[in-house]
Amino acid sequence: VQLQASGGGLVQAGGSLRLSCAASGSIFSINVMAWYRQAPGKQRELVADSTGAATTNYADSVKGRFTISRDNAKNTVYLQMNSLKPEDTAVYYCNVRGRTRVLRSYDAWGQGTQVTVSS
C-alpha cells in the first residue's frame, strides 16, 4: 500500500492549508486514516485520526482549528487546517491502517509534507 501526500507549503499565521493523502495498492479495507506531525527536535505526534465515517479524534492543540475528513470511495484523507499558528510548523505525515486483499494487516506512511507558518 502506498500513500501520496500533498498540500503543504508556507502560509502566514492565521491562514489556512488543506492537506490530502491518497492511498493506493492492494487495499481491501481501511480502518484508520490519520495525520501526524513532527516538528524539529520533537517527537512525532498524532494530530487527528478518523476511524469511521463519524468517529474522529484530535490533539488538544488543534481542536476547533483542524478538521479531518475522508473520501472512502477515493481512499483519500484530508486535513483542513485553519487559523494556523507558528507552532503548527512541522512535517505532516499521513498514516493509513487496514487490510490488504489477501487480508494481511498494513500500516502505511506517507512521505511527509512540510507545513511552515510564519508569524
Side-chain angles (χ1 to χ4, degrees), residues 46-93:
L46 176 68
V47 176
D49 64 24
S50 169
T51 56
T55 304
T56 57
N57 177 53
Y58 295 92
D60 289 342
S61 60
V62 307
K63 283 181 180 177
R65 300 187 297 121
F66 290 11
T67 301
I68 189 170
S69 61
R70 54 196 282 178
D71 184 334
N72 292 325
K74 296 181 179 180
N75 291 337
T76 300
V77 60
Y78 305 96
L79 185 68
Q80 178 66 44
M81 305 184 293
N82 299 328
S83 302
L84 282 160
K85 304 175 181 180
E87 50 263 44
D88 294 318
T89 295
V91 177
Y92 284 69
Y93 298 91

Side-chain angles (χ1 to χ4, degrees), residues 27-43:
I27 297 171
F28 175 73
S29 64
I30 295 177
N31 299 327
V32 181
M33 306 187 90
W35 289 96
Y36 289 76
R37 68 186 181 186
Q38 187 166 19
K42 295 187 177 181
Q43 289 188 333

